[in-house]
Amino acid sequence: LQVLVVVGLAAALAGPYVDVSRSQTVEETVLVVDGSASMATESGGATRFDRALAAARESTSGTNSVVFAGGDVEVVLRDGGPSDVAATLDGLSVTGAPGDLGTAISQAASVAGEDARIVVVSDFAGGSGWADAVRSARARGLLVELRQFAGGGADNVGVVDRSFSGTNVTLWVKNYGEEAATRTLSLGDQRRELDLAPDAVERVTLAVPAGGGRATLSPGDSFAVDDAAYLAAPDEPTVDVLLLTNDRDRYLATALSVIPQVRLTVDAPPTTVSADYDVIVYSDANAERLLRGSVDAGRDALERGGGVAVVAQRDPPDAYGDLLLVSPGGVGTNPSIGRVATDELTRDLDFPPPESYLTGSLRSGEALVRTADGTPLVATDTRGPGRVLYYGYVPDGDTFRYYYQYPVFWKRAVFYLAGREPLASLNRASGTSLRFGNETRVSTPAGSVTARAVRLDRVGYYATGDRRVGVSLYSEPESDVAAETLSARSDGTGAVAHESESRVPRPLTWVVALVA
């Protein structure tokens, strides 16, 4: 027995070991689950995402973390057991947004311990930006397993982009298949037949119906997410604008008339305003001829949720009252422009110094553009459900009206005053966010939430009160769902997808010492 003990201790000091597969030495696993839109591609009655989740459930170890790569990258589980992983995976669903698999793998590497294993379940479609993250993780000595689920998608034809002009939308439709395809694009009662060669792109312009609608491609294919574009639009697309003036400013009238959605009426006081206008603009009105009823019409427009714009003049009529946001103090000349606030009305616009302007202090609201001495040049205020705009350039000294940005400003002003958003603002690409000034209840395709920011991870409609936003997948890389197989990659990233089966030594020193 003493001899055997001595032999056992000597054997222990010699460092005995056995060869085992590397996966058998792993005690910690970090699962990276791809939930981007392309994972919704169907084949054989199941989606790529369903197959990926099934594989992820079988890849657990003693300690596990889960990183989800949907519209955003999120660590949804830290240091949980197999049962925790199962519960976490049951709560995940594929999104309708582009994903960032590379960021998810990098996040997994930061979560993983020294001897951890990273298991990535994905279709690896939509580009190869993930490859650098894989190489970086492996350079740290981490075991990275890539498991690909890329069935279906060879027949995909999808809507990949859009643009808006007035009340029209132009949709880009692309054929990703290797064979020619025929599709019918429908929106309301409009139909367009498309014959698409392989890798061809067609542009189709359609009128957006009042209230919006769903543009669909038929027949559908294995990737249904990009077969539809959810379009939101105001229930009343036309904005009725009244310009009340005794000295018509042709620059202002032209800027208002060229807006496709605007139906402009120009009238001179004294006049009776009998129609219900969405926006009333007062410019160079004669104080002796401006009727009280004409001003009351502006107040009525505010009560209906519309707007009033008051253009500065040398002697503003007292009848304006609080509709004039600036307390007039006379006419100034040749100021310099001071602070310009960050606002949708003034975004990317250059306001030149006026030759003459109405001096004074702000009565109420917010000044968006000021002169160097603090006088407001552009100001806004809210009155109940309506909105008021002050434009401080005096017409005969208005240098801004000669700028090409002048019509852009008035287009934004009209939409702001009418409470209408342009179609480009009401229609978003998935993967972006809606932000609010305070906690807001939002109806989403996945249910209702209350938050100050909502991630647009699902395609469909998002609604807050009377505002509805259409969200669709507009992403060429994400619609390119026919992924290259990992074994065909020339950079070698996929060639070691099964390195977990490589043989590594497992030390037996403590076992032999214990026996001795």
Side-chain angles (χ1 to χ4, degrees):
L1 287 176
Q2 291 175 347
V3 171
L4 289 175
V5 170
V6 172
V7 172
L9 291 174
L13 293 173
Y17 65 89
V18 293
D19 281 335
V20 296
S21 64
R22 188 174 179 185
S23 60
Q24 290 181 275
T25 67
V26 172
E27 297 181 358
E28 179 188 355
T29 299
V30 182
L31 296 170
V32 178
V33 180
D34 186 355
S36 62
S38 63
M39 292 292 285
T41 306
E42 293 187 1
S43 64
T47 65
R48 296 173 178 178
F49 189 73
D50 294 334
R51 293 187 171 93
L53 289 186
R57 290 187 179 95
E58 299 174 355
S59 303
T60 59
S61 57
T63 302
N64 306 273
S65 299
V66 179
V67 179
F68 183 61
D72 201 3
V73 174
E74 183 181 3
V75 180
V76 293
L77 177 66
R78 288 290 298 268
D79 301 333
S83 60
D84 298 320
V85 173
T88 299
L89 295 180
D90 288 341
L92 299 180
S93 58
V94 65
T95 69
D100 189 348
L101 190 59
T103 298
I105 295 173
S106 298
Q107 183 69 52
S110 66
V111 169
E114 288 187 8
D115 298 320
R117 170 183 62 162
I118 298 175
V119 179
V120 184
V121 290
S122 171
D123 56 6
F124 299 98
S128 58
W130 52 268
D132 289 338
V134 170
R135 282 190 286 266
S136 177
R138 286 173 174 165
R140 282 184 47 194
L142 295 172
L143 173 62
V144 182
E145 295 183 26
L146 309 180
R147 302 186 183 180
Q148 188 174 32
F149 304 89
D155 60 342
N156 186 42
V157 176
V159 179
V160 297
D161 204 353
R162 83 292 184 209
S163 66
F164 297 95
S165 176
T167 58
N168 294 332
V169 60
T170 299
L171 299 174
W172 278 256
V173 180
K174 184 172 183 178
N175 177 14
Y176 288 92
E178 297 180 356
E179 299 180 357
T182 299
R183 293 289 190 273
T184 300
L185 180 62
S186 306
L187 176 60
D189 57 359
Q190 304 168 85
R191 303 284 188 276
R192 298 289 188 276
E193 297 293 330
L194 304 177
D195 293 316
L196 297 155
D199 208 35
V201 180
E202 290 284 346
R203 293 195 306 171
V204 181
T205 299
L206 302 169
V208 180
R214 184 171 177 260
T216 58
L217 288 171
S218 58
D221 49 48
S222 59
F223 184 50
V225 180
D226 65 0
D227 288 343
Y230 295 84
L231 302 172
D235 293 331
E236 176 53 59
T238 303
V239 181
D240 290 315
V241 178
L242 172 64
L243 174 59
L244 277 177
T245 179
N246 292 112
D247 187 6
R248 176 171 173 157
D249 182 346
R250 64 187 180 91
Y251 293 95
L252 175 58
T254 302
L256 295 173
S257 64
V258 297
I259 305 172
Q261 297 91 329
V262 165
R263 184 162 49 212
L264 178 65
T265 301
V266 182
D267 208 344
T271 185
T272 301
V273 181
S274 56
D276 291 338
Y277 291 95
D278 300 306
V279 176
I280 298 180
V281 181
Y282 299 92
S283 172
D284 254 346
N286 189 309
E288 297 178 355
R289 306 184 68 183
L290 182 65
L291 302 179
R292 173 65 63 180
S294 298
V295 178
D296 289 341
R299 301 187 190 282
D300 293 340
L302 294 175
E303 291 180 2
R304 293 192 302 269
V308 168
V310 177
V311 178
Q313 59 190 81
R314 294 182 178 275
D315 296 305
D318 294 334
Y320 286 155
D322 63 348
L323 294 182
L324 183 62
L325 298 183
V326 171
S327 178
V331 175
T333 58
N334 298 318
S336 58
I337 297 296
R339 185 180 66 89
V340 177
T342 302
D343 188 85
E344 187 61 29
L345 273 177
T346 57
R347 175 177 51 85
D348 299 328
L349 297 182
D350 298 320
F351 292 88
E355 291 180 359
S356 57
Y357 68 105
L358 189 65
T359 63
S361 58
L362 190 66
R363 286 172 169 168
S364 64
E366 177 187 8
L368 304 182
V369 181
R370 292 180 182 269
T371 62
D373 63 5
T375 297
L377 277 180
V378 178
T380 58
D381 194 14
T382 56
R383 300 290 170 83
R387 291 148 294 277
V388 180
L389 171 73
Y390 168 74
Y391 183 77
Y393 288 81
V394 174
D396 58 4
D398 188 354
T399 54
F400 188 34
R401 61 185 179 181
Y402 304 118
Y403 278 46
Y404 72 95
Q405 295 177 332
Y406 183 74
V408 176
F409 169 79
W410 279 107
K411 179 178 180 179
R412 293 180 183 177
V414 166
F415 279 111
Y416 163 76
L417 292 170
R420 311 275 178 85
E421 290 186 78
L423 292 179
S425 298
L426 292 175
N427 294 277
R428 310 288 184 89
S430 59
T432 57
S433 297
L434 280 178
R435 301 187 182 277
F436 310 96
N438 46 40
E439 294 287 324
T440 303
R441 187 167 183 79
V442 183
S443 174
T444 79
S448 295
V449 298
T450 300
R452 297 186 65 174
V454 176
R455 188 78 177 173
L456 306 179
D457 284 344
R458 302 287 192 277
V459 297
Y461 292 106
Y462 293 70
T464 58
D466 59 354
R467 182 187 185 222
R468 191 170 71 151
V469 175
V471 176
S472 308
L473 175 69
Y474 299 114
S475 171
E476 285 202 53
E478 198 66 29
S479 289
D480 190 6
V481 295
E484 178 186 24
T485 59
L486 293 178
S487 59
R489 291 183 60 85
S490 59
D491 62 1
T493 306
V496 286
H498 302 289
E499 71 171 332
S500 60
E501 300 306 318
S502 62
R503 311 298 289 182
V504 294
R506 169 174 284 178
L508 296 178
T509 299
W510 68 274
V511 176
V512 177
L514 181 61
V515 171

